[in-house]
Amino acid sequence: MADESFGHPRLAAIYDPLDPDRGDLDAYLRIAEESDASRVLDIGCGTGVFALLLADRGIEVVGVDPALASIDVARAKPGSDRVRWICGDATDLPPLQVDLATMTANVAQAIADPRTWQQTLRGAYEALRPGGHLVFETRDPARRAWEEWTRENSHRVTEIPGVGSVESWVQLIEVSRPLVTFRWTYVFAADGQVLTSASTLRFREREEIERDLVAHGYVVEDVRDAPDRPGRQFVFLARRP
């Protein structure tokens, strides 16, 4: 199930304006260039920001996400006809042969259920051509990022054209390692509606992820720093032999 931030139509529509800085995607664009990828599977594509960046570069893209509201936002964007959008997940994909599969931002950690995680790794593997790569990021649990997820650190009011003022903040709900649950609250000034979205992320250790990848037949080629968050993230680059 998709979190309300992605699955509720009113929240999906404001997702991009609330998070306009997507400098985190630059590292993925560089990897696509390094691997000379011409076909990419974007797992957890959300509102399609990364998929459309790839399509702008002439890359053939399949974007898959379980949240129909987010897919609808993506489909409404200029150039969206150049991307194949699928409402679903990587556990049940049509036959594909892509050069690169990606899970940007929180996608890998949001797959909190162990069985679904294993099925996702298998689905991505089957979608890759031999020699193709899977790349994704996850937070280093040792950095305890959740300690910063407070109303004091996150509260803001954003003016969104056509929507008005939206007040938002996050609160930590529960830490039960490796699972961390938090809740975003959104208040729409136009009509006073209050919407919330609870999320649970799984904080996997680096060694656990490497074992999972190897168990599914991948070769772990590199584990990098996220350039925009040095020392805080692991960026895994794995290859299907």
Side-chain angles (χ1 to χ4, degrees), residues 66-135:
L68 179 58
S70 292
I71 291 288
D72 286 342
V73 171
R75 284 178 172 146
K77 293 181 177 180
S80 64
D81 57 322
R82 292 174 294 177
V83 177
R84 179 183 178 187
W85 306 104
I86 298 174
C87 186
D89 58 39
T91 68
D92 187 24
L93 291 167
L96 297 171
Q97 284 282 286
V98 300
D99 306 306
L100 180 67
T102 62
M103 291 187 281
T104 65
N106 285 336
V107 172
Q109 285 189 260
I111 306 171
D113 176 69
R115 182 180 178 186
T116 305
W117 172 244
Q118 302 299 332
Q119 292 173 335
T120 298
L121 292 179
R122 182 168 62 250
Y125 186 93
E126 292 172 352
L128 289 168
R129 63 163 176 80
H133 289 85
L134 169 67
V135 60

Side-chain angles (χ1 to χ4, degrees), residues 14-81:
I14 64 171
Y15 182 82
D16 292 340
L18 288 180
D19 187 20
D21 181 7
R22 294 310 308 272
D24 61 299
L25 298 177
D26 292 344
Y28 290 90
L29 290 172
R30 284 194 292 272
I31 290 172
E33 293 172 358
E34 290 172 13
S35 59
D36 198 25
S38 60
R39 295 166 297 176
V40 175
L41 169 65
D42 186 19
I43 300 168
C45 65
T47 58
V49 174
F50 183 58
L52 290 170
L53 285 173
L54 293 170
D56 285 343
R57 288 158 171 77
I59 295 173
E60 181 182 327
V61 188
V62 176
V64 59
D65 198 282
L68 179 58
S70 292
I71 291 288
D72 286 342
V73 171
R75 284 178 172 146
K77 293 181 177 180
S80 64
D81 57 322

Side-chain angles (χ1 to χ4, degrees), residues 132-153:
H133 289 85
L134 169 67
V135 60
F136 61 91
E137 67 184 75
T138 183
R139 293 176 177 84
D140 180 355
R143 293 301 298 265
R144 303 176 65 86
W146 57 84
E147 294 179 348
E148 301 171 8
W149 299 348
T150 66
R151 179 184 172 112
E152 292 73 23
N153 287 336

